[in-house]
Amino acid sequence: MLVSPRVILAPAFRQGRLVGAFNTGNLEMTMGILRAAEERKAPVLLQIAEKRLPHSPLALMGPMMVNAARQATVPVAVQLDHGEEPAVLAEAAALGFTGLMFDGSALSPDENARRTSAVRALGVDWIEGEIGVLAGSEGGPEAEALYSDPGQAQTYAEASGCDCLAVSIGNAHGHYKGKPRLNFTILEEIHRRLPDLPLVLHGGTGIPKEDLARAVKLGICKVNIATASFDALYKGASKPAGDYFSLSEAMAQSVYESTMKQLEWFGEVSA
Ligand code: 13P
């Protein structure tokens, strides 16, 4: 069933549970992700990043994602990930997305807050903001990491009225070079200043279970996963399949297996 991220994330945050937000790029990924969510009876977010749209157009992906969520037997929110362009944010809202992430992390904190609150006018219930810059990117040019400043995070969150906040604490999109080194001191300070605001950890692929267990105790309730699913899709597609139908099933199955593993971890570290 299609729901607002609020329906999933507000109780998860209160109860200290981690929710998976899985990015998709095609039909098979979407099917694999939702098959796993249904099997584990886990509410999830299904997301597509703006940078992915040249390869997977929103006009095609959006209705498919929204309808897949509607038909799912578990609550599923559909969210635009790293939205920057006003026209893309408006298109996602018009297509029935229930969450929008505005990524103004490259802007000054004031401008970021101003533009984040302007997204509210699109009438979508749930707005995710970001403060600090993550290393790596969702299909775009590599960015240098810039840790979130707790004071700025507080000012930004209060000025923008965002419903949840993505933090940059050493997490990165793509594959980590070595073991991820998350700065829990920064996370703890952000959570201390904003105790009622759900926090989001991007760059979920490759973050060890022990780190997830620490993060969920410090306000993180949503973890974004993209690379693991795209890798799984590629792996599924790389096995000799024989015909298109077997290929399609192999891709969905591989993403399903990867998503099952992530959801199992999120379940294990949740209260
Ligand atoms: P990964 O690609 O590291 O899984 O990160 C996904 C993400 O944060 C999407 O916004």
Side-chain angles (χ1 to χ4, degrees):
M1 103 213 39
L2 175 68
V3 299
S4 163
R6 189 180 304 281
V7 171
I8 300 174
L9 295 174
F13 177 66
R14 271 198 313 273
Q15 294 158 14
R17 282 187 286 110
L18 270 192
V19 172
F22 296 92
N23 285 23
T24 183
N26 71 5
L27 176 70
E28 284 80 5
M29 278 184 90
T30 307
M31 288 168 63
I33 291 162
L34 294 187
R35 197 184 293 169
E38 289 186 335
E39 190 168 316
R40 287 200 63 89
K41 297 193 171 35
V44 293
L45 281 82
L46 188 60
Q47 305 190 137
I48 187 159
E50 187 176 304
K51 294 256 163 38
R52 190 72 48 200
L53 300 180
H55 314 280
S56 308
L58 189 56
L60 303 181
M61 290 295 295
M64 187 263 288
M65 292 165 68
V66 168
N67 281 313
R70 283 200 182 109
Q71 288 177 14
T73 56
V74 289
V76 178
V78 176
Q79 177 160 305
L80 179 72
D81 192 30
H82 293 285
E84 292 180 44
E85 287 299 322
V88 175
L89 288 151
E91 189 182 352
L95 287 167
F97 279 40
T98 53
L100 297 175
M101 178 198 182
F102 177 69
D103 182 348
S105 54
L107 306 169
S108 72
D110 284 354
E111 184 63 7
N112 186 0
R114 201 184 61 73
R115 294 218 208 158
T116 307
S117 51
V119 172
R120 192 63 74 193
L122 294 170
V124 173
D125 183 49
W126 185 263
I127 311 290
E128 176 175 330
E130 176 172 333
I131 200 87
V133 178
L134 292 187
S137 97
E138 249 280 359
E142 289 293 300
E144 281 297 312
L146 194 67
Y147 283 8
S148 305
D149 173 85
Q152 265 181 16
Q154 182 176 6
T155 313
Y156 166 79
E158 287 166 359
S160 69
C162 62
D163 298 295
C164 67
L165 179 67
V167 295
S168 177
I169 55 166
N171 46 322
H173 291 129
H175 292 287
Y176 288 90
K177 299 177 185 80
K179 196 174 177 296
R181 292 219 310 271
L182 301 187
N183 188 326
F184 287 101
T185 311
I186 294 179
L187 182 60
E188 192 169 1
E189 180 58 16
I190 295 173
H191 184 48
R192 192 186 67 75
R193 287 169 179 257
L194 298 162
D196 300 322
L197 189 68
L199 303 176
V200 181
L201 195 62
H202 283 239
T205 300
I207 295 193
K209 201 158 69 174
E210 316 81 78
D211 283 355
L212 294 174
R214 273 181 89 179
V216 72
K217 294 198 170 65
L218 297 171
I220 297 287
C221 71
K222 169 178 181 270
V223 178
N224 282 14
I225 302 287
T227 301
S229 309
F230 282 101
D231 284 356
L233 185 85
Y234 185 76
K235 204 170 117 211
S238 304
K239 289 189 204 131
D243 58 42
Y244 168 73
F245 301 102
S246 317
L247 171 69
S248 174
E249 179 47 34
M251 289 192 281
Q253 176 66 19
S254 187
V255 174
Y256 156 82
E257 285 166 14
S258 163
T259 309
M260 282 296 277
K261 185 160 165 259
Q262 301 285 349
L263 288 175
E264 195 179 303
W265 279 23
F266 297 162
E268 281 170 15
V269 302
S270 291

